[in-house]
């Protein structure tokens, strides 16, 4: 066994997903009046060239930082999913002008650091944990009080890991039981700079503290024992913030931001989202005869772990025209059907691909041999408990696996397609877009197809996923 180390839209509330009660992990019941179930079936090889939507992490941050810069920031390639629209609506509610000028093209006229306005009502975050946690950081050092709400799924996600450090900076919180939404943030003015060691690797917590530090006098420091995605550091520097990153011999990163920053507007080209690309990488690798090129994929080393792991499993993935776009490494990825082999995935790679593990689990389920994953506790507090949900979903589709506390151990089929879901069995998404898309991929490489109970959550991050998948199999 190998080992890998490796326009102007309406306000978001009008776009918000309908709320629903939590379902069992697999279920044949759903709200027939609103859910959009679909059976994804094998349609033959995937062939063609595609370009996935812009990176969600960069899209969120480009709007937030643009709203804090004085002047006009121009963004192209912005991901126009519901999560990013939630961020746009929130920044608009706090005084910034955020306008769509074309497909993926937006302008943001900022108010300046320290000048966010009191919103007139609650900020509806829909399903976006990233929007919520990062905006809590922004608000924490401004003299405003902001109420955050979200859908049923987001309201189940704990926010204490952000509340704790922001409280040390002087902000106060009124949260629902367990540190959950709805909650109110009462910003501190002035806030207090802190030095904070992340107890759990989390780019969202790190980013929330750094964003709070923008309007905090003095130096705010975040110490991360395990490196996480660094889009915030790159973009803060690009917007003119005084930020230093020191890497220790053991890999620990010390990030120091000097507060009361003056941000300058930027022109940003958002690269393709590697998290979105992951679904097509896996689909092409496990579907016989497939040959696909995915253009303009961001390959930031703190984000692109999925590519290295799939290559370690024997995946034929070639990086073409490697280049830099706006300070981010980018390439076109040529991927072909491959005979994958199971590996032991080094838990150190988890922060660089934490959102891509559901797709990886699908790949592992049809590989030869055993794939072992560990160190994935974070997956239990995502939009759903992704370990439990994917374990049950893949089992319902015919996979062989063991669920452990911090990961899955999957015994693959040796290249044979999964059987698929039996009649009357649906895969419950729990309002989790990545569950829906991962099991869609499992369906196109199965014998009898996989029935997903609700495809609506896909719109939060990848509204054109289904049409793009259909285009490749046409």
């Amino acid at each position: 066994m190998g080992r890998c180390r490796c326009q102007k839209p309406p306000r978001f509330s009008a776009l918000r997903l309908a709320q629903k009660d939590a379902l069992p992990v697999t279920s044949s019941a759903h709200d027939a009046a609103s859910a959009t179930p679909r059976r994804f079936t094998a349609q033959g090889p995937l062939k063609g060239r595609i370009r996935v939507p812009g990176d969600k992490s960069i899209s969120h941050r480009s709007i937030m930082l643009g709203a804090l810069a004085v002047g006009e920031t121009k963004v192209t390639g912005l991901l126009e999913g519901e999560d990013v629209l939630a961020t746009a609506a929130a920044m608009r509610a706090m005084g910034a002008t955020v306008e769509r000028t074309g497909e993926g093209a937006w302008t943001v006229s900022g108010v300046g650091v320290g000048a966010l306005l009191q919103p007139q009502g609650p900020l509806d975050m829909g399903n976006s944990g990233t929007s919520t946690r990062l905006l809590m950081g922004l608000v924490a050092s401004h003299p405003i009080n902001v109420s955050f709400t979200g859908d049923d799924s987001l309201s189940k996600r704990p926010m204490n890991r952000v509340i704790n450090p922001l409280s040390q900076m002087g902000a106060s919180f009124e949260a629902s039981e367990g540190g959950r939404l709805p909650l109110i943030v009462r910003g501190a003015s002035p806030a207090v700079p802190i030095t904070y060691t992340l107890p759990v690797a989390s780019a969202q917590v790190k980013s929330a503290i750094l964003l709070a530090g923008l309007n905090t006098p003095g130096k705010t420091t975040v110490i991360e024992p395990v490196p996480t995605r660094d889009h915030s550091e790159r973009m803060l520097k690009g917007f003119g913030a005084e930020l230093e990153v020191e890497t220790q011999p053991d890999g620990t990163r010390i990030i120091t931001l000097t507060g009361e920053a003056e941000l300058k507007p930027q022109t940003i080209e958002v690269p393709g989202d590697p998290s979105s690309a992951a679904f097509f990488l896996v689909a092409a690798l496990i579907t016989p005869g497939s040959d696909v090129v995915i253009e303009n994929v961001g390959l930031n080393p703190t984000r692109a772990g999925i590519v290295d792991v799939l290559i370690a499993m024997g995946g034929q993935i070639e990086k073409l025209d490697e280049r830099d776009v706006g300070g981010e490494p980018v390439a076109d990825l040529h991927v072909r059907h491959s005979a994958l082999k199971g590996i032991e995935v080094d838990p150190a790679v988890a922060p660089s691909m934490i959102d891509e593990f559901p797709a990886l689990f699908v790949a592992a389920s049809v590989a030869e041999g055993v794939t072992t994953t560990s160190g994935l506790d974070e997956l239990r507090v995502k939009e759903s408990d992704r370990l439990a949900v994917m374990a049950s979903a893949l089992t319902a589709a015919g996979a062989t696996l063991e669920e452990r506390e911090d990961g899955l151990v999957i015994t693959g089929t040796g290249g044979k397609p999964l059987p698929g879901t039996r009649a009357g069995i649906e895969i419950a998404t729990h309002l989790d877009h990545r569950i829906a898309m991962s099991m869609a991929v499992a369906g196109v490489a199965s014998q009898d197809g996989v029935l997903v109970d609700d495809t609506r959550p896909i719109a939060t991050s990848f509204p054109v996923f289904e049409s793009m998948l259909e285009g490749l199999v046409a």
Side-chain angles (χ1 to χ4, degrees), residues 328-402:
E328 293 277 348
V330 171
D332 302 335
L333 300 179
H334 182 196
V335 54
R336 290 168 288 180
H337 172 250
S338 306
L340 300 179
K341 296 185 181 297
I343 64 170
E344 181 180 355
V345 181
D346 188 338
V349 80
S352 69
M353 56 174 290
I354 194 66
D355 289 328
E356 289 72 73
F357 274 97
L360 179 70
F361 296 153
V362 175
S365 70
V366 296
E368 177 186 346
V370 178
T371 297
T372 302
T373 62
S374 59
L376 305 183
D377 312 71
E378 176 74 9
L379 291 186
R380 296 202 181 274
V381 291
K382 290 288 187 178
E383 284 85 339
S384 67
D385 179 341
R386 288 180 176 161
L387 287 178
V389 174
M390 282 302 297
S392 184
L394 284 170
T395 299
T400 301
L401 57 83
E402 174 192 351

Side-chain angles (χ1 to χ4, degrees), residues 95-111:
T97 301
V98 186
E99 297 181 324
R100 186 177 191 264
T101 59
E103 184 177 352
W106 292 65
T107 61
V108 184
S109 296
V111 296

